[in-house]
Amino acid sequence: MNDRITFANFHPVSLFFYFAAMLVFTMFTQNPVLILFSLVGASLFSAATSTREQIFADIKFYVPVFIVISLTNPIFSHSGATPLFFMNDNPVTLEAVLCGVDIAAMISAVMLICKAFSKVMESEKLLCLFGKAAPKLSVVLSMSLRFIPLFKRKFKEIKDAQKALGYFKSGSFSESLMSNARVFSALVTWALENGADTADSISARGYDVGGRKSFALFRFKKRDAILMTITLVLSSVTLVGFLLGKADFEFYPYITQINTDALSVILYAAFGSLSLIPFIFEVKEALHWKYLRSKI
Amino acid sequence: MEILTLKNLSFTYPTEEKKAVDNVSLFVKEGEFICLCGSSACGKTTLMRLIKRELAPRGTLSGEIFFCGKAQSELSERESASEIGYVLQNPETQIVTDKVWHELSFGLENLGYSSDIIRLRIGEMANYFGISHMFRSSTAELSGGQKQLLSLAAIMAMSPKLLLLDEPTSQLDPIAAADFIATLKKINRELGTTIIIAEHRLEDIFPIADKIAVMENGALIAFDTPKNVCRKLKDHRACLGFPVSARIWQALSGEGEVPLTVREGRTFFKENFSPRKNDLKTEEEKRETALSFSDVYFRYEKNAPDVLRGVNTTINRSEIFCLLGANGAGKSTVLRAAAGLIKPYRGKIKTAEGAKTALLCQNVQDLFLMNTVKEDLMDILSVYGIKKGEANTKIEEISKMIGISHLLEKHPYDVSGGEAQKCALAKVLLTEPDILLLDEPTKALDPAAKKELAVILRALCKKGVTIFIVTHDVEFAAENADRCALFFDGEILPASDIHTFFSANNFYTTAASRISRGTFDGAVTESDILRLCGKEKK
C-alpha cells in the first residue's frame, strides 16, 4: 500500500469518484480557466508526491510533449480569423495557436491525472472496486496479479537451468531465439501443470459453495465520507455550470470572451477547489507532521 | 467419538488395473494426530484425496466414508468445504491470490461471511500463526516455509474439524519443516483439531503422533501407536524413514521400550552399552584437485552486500563433496559460480585442465522442455551436435545405468519426484561432465529414492566424476559424502572428512551422532553405530 501518499489512504470508492469526476470534466471542456485549474492541481499533486529526480524527469517529459502538441495544431488547422503569418501559402492563425496551447494543456492535465490515479489506486484498491461489483472477477484479477511476477521468475529459473546445460552457448541470434522458444514452451507446460494444483486449492476451499462475498481491507471511514461529499457537491456545482453553458468556450472563428459573471466565478471556484483537493491534503498532512515533530 | 470412518475402501484409477487403495478400513477419533506413511506411490495421496470430496480422483470406488457420523455423499457442499481442510504438497502452487491477507480471507469469502467476521478471523489467524508482520505483503515475497505456513493458516481460518496434509514439508528445508510440524502440534494440542498427515520425514512426527498408519501397495499394513508400529514392522522396508533411534533399536535388540526421540535414544544407549572408541576415521589421501575456489567474492548488484565473501576451498577429483548450510545463505550461489552462470568480481575459480561442469538445478522440472523424457534427452544431445544413431545408443546406455528405461516414453511431469530427479540426472549426464554440481538433490525424495540416488552417485564417482553437492540434508551428507564443509557468512569453512566433521559439530550434525555421543564418540551414521555394536546391517 502506498502509505507515503496521504491521498492514497482514502477508500477506493471515494478515490474512484474523485478521479472519474476530474477526468470527465477535464476531457469535456475547452475552457482555458478550467483546464488551467486542472493542470495546476494535477501538477502540484504530482510534484508533492515525487522526489526531486522524478520531478526533473517529469519536466523533461511533459514540456516537450506540451510543445509538440501546441505546435501541431496551428500547422494543420487553418481556421481562425487572425492570420499571424503565412507558411507555404497557408495562414497560421492566432486562434489556432492558442487552441493548440489549450489542447496541449488539456492532454497534459489528463495524463497527469491518470498518473496520479495509477499512483494512488494500486491493484488492491482496484480489486476492492471490482470485487464489490463481481466477486468472482476479483479472484481472477488477483490470480493474474500473482501470476505475472511468478512467470517472470520461473522463466529466468528455467533459462538458467538450461544455460547450465549448454543451451544458449553460441550466443547467435537464431540459436538464442530457438532456445528462448523452448524455454517458453516449458513455461507453458509448467503453468498448465501447476494450474491444476491451484484449481484444486481453490475448490478445496469452497469456491463452488456459492454466495461468495468479496472482502477488502479497506473500511469506509468518516474521512472517506467527507471526501465523497465534497467531491459530490463540487462536481454537482461544476455540472450545473456546464449545463448552463458557463463553461462554453470557442476558439474559432474568434476567441470567445471568458465569462466573468457571478455564476461563472462560482463554477471556476468549485472546479478549482476540486482540482486542488489532493494537493491540499498532501500539504496539510506535511504541515501537520512538521507541527507534531516540533512538539516532540 | 469417531470423526472419520473408512470402511473397506477400495479405489481403482480408470486407466489402471491395480487397485490404488485396497480395502482400507480406518477409524479416526476426534482430536487424534495421525501420520500416514509409506513409500511413494503407495496410495497415500489417493486415500487422502478420497476423504476430501472436492479433490476426489475419478475412478471406481467401493466401500464407505463417514465424516462425523454422516456418509460423505450426504455432506452439504458447505460442510465438506469448510470442515475438512486440505493442505497440498507444493507451497508455490496452492496459493491463489497475490496478497497475504487476501489468501487468508479467500476461503471465508467463498463461504459468504460478512466483512466484519472475516476481518476478525484473519486478524486472529495472522496472530496465532505469527505472520502478522507480513500481513500486507505480496505472497510472491514469501519463502517456501512461510508460504506453507500461510496455506495452513488460510485453511485454519475456516476452522476445519479435520485437517488433511499431503507431504506438506517435502519442499521445505529442515528448519522450516520442523517449524511447520511444531505448528501442527500446537494446533492439535491447543485447538483439538484432528490431523491426518502424509509424510516421509518422520523424525519429528513420530514423537508427537498418536497413531501411525503405514500403507503399502494401496493396503493398510499397520495402524497403531508409534511404538507398537516400530515393534510390529521390524526390518520392513517401510521403516526406512522411521526415526533413527527407533531404527537402531529395531536393529539391535528390539526389546523393551522403543526410543523415538534423540533423548530416549541416548538413554537407551547409556543403559545398554559401554563406551566404545571409534576407529572409523578415514585416512585422508592426497588427491588431484578438480575444482578450486580462491578468494572468490560475488554480489548480485553493485550496491548489494556480498553473497560470497572470500570463498576458499578445493574439491578433489572423484570425490563426493557436500556443502551444508542454512537456507538463503548463498550455498546455491557457490554452485552457480562453479557452473559459470555468474562471474565473481574478485578471486578465481579454477577447474582441472579440460574438465567440464554441469549443474543440476533444485527444481528438476526446470530442465524438461519436451513432451517425453526421450525427446528431452535427444534434444540435449542435438544441442551438442550428436547424430541420431549415436544419440540413441547413448540414451540407451545412460537409461540403463540410471534405471529409467521404463520412463523414456512418459511425459516428464507424469513421473514421481524420485523418477523425475533420475531423468534430470540422465539429461545432465549426457553432457558428459567431469564435475557434477547438484543443488539440493534430495529435496522431495522419499528415503528409498534417496538410497537409489546415493548408489548412482557413488557409481559415477568410481568412474572418475567429481560430485559437488549443496544440501541441508545432514543425514544424506553423512551417509554418502567423502568430505563435508559448512557454508557460513559468505565463506566455506575448512572442509574435513565426515567423521571429523560431524563428530566435531554439536548441533549441526546427524541424529545418530547426537544419540551415540558420549557412548560411541565419532559415530555419525546409523551403520557406524551398528558396526560398533557388532551388528553389521545387511
Side-chain angles (χ1 to χ4, degrees):
Chain A
M1 210 176 263
N2 223 336
D3 288 327
R4 238 171 6 86
I5 303 175
T6 315
F7 197 59
N9 293 335
F10 282 103
H11 194 274
V13 173
S14 307
L15 289 174
F16 181 76
F17 273 103
Y18 174 78
F19 281 106
M22 279 306 294
L23 268 182
V24 169
F25 289 135
T26 310
M27 283 194 292
F28 287 95
T29 185
Q30 278 198 314
N31 190 316
V33 178
L34 297 184
I35 287 178
L36 186 69
F37 276 134
S38 183
L39 182 64
V40 168
S43 311
L44 285 176
F45 178 68
S46 171
T49 53
S50 307
T51 61
R52 196 177 290 247
E53 289 82 31
Q54 283 168 329
I55 294 175
F56 281 123
D58 278 351
I59 290 174
K60 261 195 226 154
F61 175 73
Y62 283 98
V63 170
V65 166
F66 190 94
I67 293 172
V68 167
I69 300 174
S70 326
L71 291 182
T72 317
N73 192 55
I75 291 174
F76 292 104
S77 160
H78 306 295
S79 329
T82 330
L84 292 173
F85 58 91
F86 285 84
M87 205 167 67
N88 300 334
D89 292 336
N90 281 321
V92 172
T93 64
L94 176 70
E95 287 80 10
V97 170
L98 291 179
C99 181
V101 173
D102 192 64
I103 293 173
M106 192 259 270
I107 291 179
S108 310
V110 167
M111 276 161 62
L112 281 167
I113 293 171
C114 289
K115 197 176 141 201
F117 182 78
S118 71
K119 230 186 213 177
V120 164
M121 299 285 275
E122 318 87 347
S123 59
E124 265 176 67
K125 294 208 182 93
L126 289 176
L127 276 183
C128 170
L129 277 179
F130 283 117
K132 295 251 184 296
K136 294 214 167 179
L137 180 68
S138 83
V139 177
V140 177
L141 281 175
S142 176
M143 282 175 71
S144 334
L145 285 172
R146 193 179 97 76
F147 274 138
I148 295 161
L150 191 64
F151 281 1
K152 264 195 198 154
R153 207 185 68 210
K154 197 69 193 173
F155 188 86
K156 194 176 174 302
E157 246 176 52
I158 297 178
K159 195 166 169 176
D160 271 358
Q162 303 300 333
K163 261 192 199 160
L165 276 190
Y167 292 84
F168 299 95
K169 211 167 222 170
S170 72
S172 76
F173 179 74
S174 62
E175 199 218 39
S176 128
L177 199 68
M178 280 297 290
S179 298
N180 268 324
R182 280 201 189 95
V183 171
F184 186 74
S185 101
L187 180 70
V188 172
T189 317
W190 176 85
L192 291 176
E193 196 62 34
N194 289 290
D197 241 16
T198 311
D200 277 348
S201 169
I202 290 174
S203 63
R205 284 193 272 163
Y207 189 65
D208 306 317
V209 168
R212 180 180 162 82
K213 271 192 198 142
S214 186
F215 168 76
L217 284 181
F218 308 101
R219 229 203 283 229
F220 201 81
K221 302 188 194 85
K222 206 171 126 200
R223 57 198 299 267
D224 301 310
I226 292 173
L227 176 66
M228 191 96 155
T229 320
I230 295 176
T231 309
L232 282 179
V233 169
L234 293 178
S235 352
S236 314
V237 173
T238 312
L239 189 64
V240 171
F242 266 68
L243 293 177
L244 291 177
K246 294 297 166 194
D248 290 355
F249 194 85
E250 291 298 331
F251 283 94
Y252 305 120
Y254 294 100
I255 297 175
T256 35
Q257 283 285 316
I258 291 173
N259 289 328
T260 48
D261 55 301
L263 270 175
S264 302
V265 171
I266 293 177
L267 163 67
Y268 297 150
F271 187 73
S273 329
L274 189 66
S275 315
L276 287 171
I277 286 175
F279 177 66
I280 292 170
F281 270 110
E282 239 31 65
V283 171
K284 197 192 113 207
E285 192 83 349
L287 290 178
H288 185 56
W289 276 108
K290 225 173 207 167
Y291 170 72
L292 281 182
R293 200 177 299 156
S294 68
K295 267 180 59 169
I296 300 168
Chain B
M1 189 193 136
E2 265 154 21
I3 189 163
L4 180 75
T5 312
L6 308 181
K7 272 189 196 154
N8 308 328
L9 201 67
S10 291
F11 180 82
T12 321
Y13 282 101
T15 53
E16 273 162 50
E17 304 212 331
K18 223 182 93 209
K19 284 179 180 168
V21 173
D22 193 358
N23 202 20
V24 170
S25 295
L26 196 68
F27 304 93
V28 181
K29 287 200 199 92
E30 206 176 328
E32 271 185 327
F33 191 123
I34 289 174
C35 173
L36 188 58
C37 57
S39 59
S40 304
C42 68
K44 296 192 299 273
T45 301
T46 312
L47 182 67
M48 301 266 278
R49 282 183 173 252
L50 287 173
I51 300 171
K52 174 85 179 165
R53 197 172 62 191
E54 289 84 350
L55 304 183
R58 262 170 231 189
T60 342
L61 177 76
S62 66
E64 288 168 301
I65 303 172
F66 291 97
F67 177 71
C68 290
K70 262 195 209 176
Q72 193 193 41
S73 52
E74 285 167 20
L75 293 174
S76 71
E77 285 208 35
R78 206 185 163 80
E79 277 175 312
S80 174
S82 70
E83 294 187 355
I84 304 178
Y86 198 105
V87 178
L88 296 148
Q89 187 173 2
N90 194 335
E92 200 67 68
T93 51
Q94 66 178 312
I95 287 183
V96 177
T97 63
D98 67 327
K99 293 283 166 149
V100 169
W101 64 263
H102 200 182
E103 189 66 22
L104 288 173
S105 68
F106 181 75
L108 299 169
E109 286 177 284
N110 288 339
L111 297 177
Y113 283 105
S114 74
S115 282
D116 285 336
I117 295 180
I118 295 182
R119 199 179 294 271
L120 188 66
R121 284 268 192 95
I122 62 176
E124 204 186 19
M125 277 305 130
N127 265 319
Y128 189 80
F129 285 90
I131 50 177
S132 35
H133 59 285
M134 50 194 195
F135 191 62
R136 285 174 187 253
S137 313
S138 288
T139 48
E141 291 163 20
L142 310 186
S143 70
Q146 288 173 326
K147 279 185 186 146
Q148 206 61 322
L149 212 55
L150 172 62
S151 296
L152 178 62
I155 283 168
M156 288 310 292
M158 301 168 76
S159 44
K161 289 182 182 159
L162 173 63
L163 189 57
L164 302 166
L165 304 107
D166 185 11
E167 297 183 22
T169 68
S170 70
Q171 305 284 328
L172 309 184
D173 67 81
I175 293 166
D179 272 353
F180 188 85
I181 303 280
T183 310
L184 283 182
K185 181 182 172 188
K186 188 170 144 184
I187 290 172
N188 178 256
R189 302 290 193 270
E190 291 178 8
L191 308 175
T193 312
T194 314
I195 292 178
I196 303 180
I197 177 172
E199 256 304 346
H200 289 311
R201 249 189 282 206
L202 303 171
E203 196 79 45
D204 295 327
I205 291 203
F206 255 58
I208 56 174
D210 296 310
K211 277 182 183 165
I212 307 291
V214 186
M215 282 183 82
E216 194 181 48
N217 296 326
L220 192 66
I221 55 169
F223 181 53
D224 212 334
T225 61
K227 293 190 176 179
N228 285 341
V229 168
C230 291
R231 280 195 198 98
K232 196 171 157 195
L233 295 179
K234 264 187 214 171
D235 287 329
H236 194 277
R237 53 183 227 122
C239 298
L240 266 180
F242 283 15
V244 177
S245 307
R247 285 162 50 80
I248 292 172
W249 171 87
Q250 283 181 333
L252 289 181
S253 64
E255 276 154 32
E257 195 66 359
V258 188
L260 291 178
T261 60
V262 167
R263 188 180 69 182
E264 288 167 359
R266 286 183 66 84
T267 319
F268 168 75
F269 260 88
K270 285 229 177 80
E271 281 169 5
N272 292 296
F273 294 94
S274 51
R276 233 160 278 189
K277 188 85 184 102
N278 130 65
D279 54 339
L280 297 158
K281 205 162 185 167
T282 37
E283 287 299 310
E284 199 154 334
E285 41 186 315
K286 199 75 191 141
R287 279 158 132 182
E288 281 173 70
T289 303
L291 176 68
S292 70
F293 289 73
S294 49
D295 293 327
V296 172
Y297 283 79
F298 175 78
R299 55 176 74 159
Y300 279 95
E301 271 160 47
K302 200 179 158 208
N303 296 321
D306 282 332
V307 182
L308 306 183
R309 210 170 286 146
V311 169
N312 241 328
T313 200
T314 51
I315 291 152
N316 299 329
R317 213 175 104 91
S318 62
E319 73 170 348
I320 299 182
F321 184 91
C322 274
L323 184 61
L324 298 151
N327 224 16
K331 298 193 305 289
S332 298
T333 312
V334 176
L335 273 197
R336 288 159 61 85
L341 281 176
I342 52 171
K343 295 267 171 291
Y345 71 89
R346 196 185 298 151
K348 268 221 170 77
I349 301 171
K350 253 203 239 157
T351 47
E353 194 74 15
K356 273 198 290 183
T357 58
L359 169 69
L360 179 56
C361 53
Q362 206 175 114
N363 295 321
V364 291
Q365 283 187 339
D366 291 353
L367 281 179
F368 302 121
L369 302 172
M370 299 296 167
N371 287 328
T372 66
V373 174
K374 189 164 184 190
E375 277 176 43
D376 234 307
L377 298 181
M378 286 302 250
D379 190 56
I380 184 73
L381 287 172
S382 76
V383 167
Y384 278 83
I386 288 165
K387 299 261 154 37
K388 207 163 178 206
E390 203 187 331
N392 272 326
T393 40
K394 278 201 168 187
I395 291 175
E396 217 166 280
E397 255 171 54
I398 205 95
S399 336
K400 217 176 255 165
M401 177 197 159
I402 296 193
I404 53 164
S405 305
H406 59 295
L407 303 172
L408 286 179
E409 298 306 323
K410 283 199 173 177
H411 192 284
Y413 280 87
D414 288 342
V415 299
S416 77
E419 288 169 342
Q421 181 87 33
K422 283 198 274 185
C423 295
L425 189 61
K427 188 168 177 183
V428 171
L429 287 177
L430 282 176
T431 69
E432 297 180 349
D434 306 291
I435 303 168
L436 184 59
L437 309 165
L438 303 171
D439 196 353
E440 301 290 354
T442 59
K443 191 175 166 185
L445 295 193
D446 67 20
K450 273 189 204 176
K451 273 215 155 139
E452 282 176 43
L453 177 70
V455 172
I456 295 171
L457 292 184
R458 194 40 83 186
L460 283 172
C461 227
K462 289 234 167 79
K463 283 189 184 169
V465 180
T466 308
I467 298 174
F468 182 9
I469 302 176
V470 155
T471 183
H472 8 237
D473 193 334
V474 175
E475 312 286 336
F476 184 81
E479 271 163 34
N480 301 300
D482 294 311
R483 289 193 308 148
C484 277
L486 188 65
F487 187 85
F488 180 68
D489 193 30
E491 281 185 85
I492 296 183
L493 306 183
S496 49
D497 70 286
I498 49 163
H499 289 110
T500 322
F501 182 82
F502 287 110
S503 47
N505 289 355
N506 283 322
F507 303 99
Y508 212 85
T509 184
T510 59
S513 163
R514 278 178 277 154
I515 290 167
S516 63
R517 183 157 302 199
T519 320
F520 300 160
D521 275 328
V524 296
T525 62
E526 202 186 313
S527 49
D528 286 347
I529 295 182
L530 296 182
R531 214 176 60 137
L532 282 171
C533 295
K535 280 211 179 185
E536 208 79 46
K537 187 118 187 187
K538 302 137 259 181

